[in-house]
Amino acid sequence: MKYEINLDLIKKKRKYEGFTMQQMADFIGLHDKSSYYKRENGDLNFQVGEIPIIEKVLKIPSKKIFVESLTKSQHSAQKVGT
């Protein structure tokens, strides 16, 4: 089983809680908001040490921050079944 970070949830919760990308960058120790932007949009991966900070700041339980990712065959099966 493979898991990925629920980037959509992180983005929605950040906006809901009223945090800017620069504030999130500051929380996790990044120099600028563009580095955070790239992580939140999936261009770069969040680092292991950043995840607990995000969970705490955004009040996201760890069991919700990770979602099971679909394999290629599961993606194909979804398309066929639609």
Side-chain angles (χ1 to χ4, degrees):
M1 204 174 298
K2 194 173 181 184
Y3 289 88
E4 58 188 45
I5 295 173
N6 190 341
L7 299 174
D8 189 48
L9 176 62
I10 290 172
K11 187 174 193 173
K12 286 178 181 177
K13 281 289 285 180
R14 175 184 60 78
K15 289 180 177 183
Y16 177 81
E17 296 291 338
F19 292 116
T20 65
M21 287 191 189
Q22 183 60 57
Q23 287 172 312
M24 293 302 295
D26 292 341
F27 289 138
I28 62 175
L30 300 173
H31 296 291
D32 55 41
K33 70 179 180 182
S34 68
S35 297
Y36 180 80
Y37 171 85
K38 290 175 184 176
R39 284 166 168 76
E40 189 178 85
N41 286 291
D43 298 328
L44 292 175
N45 292 327
F46 280 103
Q47 301 299 306
V48 173
E50 297 167 350
I51 300 300
I53 298 167
I54 290 169
E55 291 172 347
K56 184 176 180 180
V57 169
L58 299 180
K59 303 172 192 144
I60 300 173
S62 56
K63 65 183 177 184
K64 289 190 175 186
I65 209 155
F66 293 101
V67 292
E68 188 174 348
S69 61
L70 298 176
T71 63
K72 287 182 184 179
S73 61
Q74 288 171 318
H75 279 290
S76 297
Q78 270 189 341
K79 289 179 185 176
V80 171
T82 318

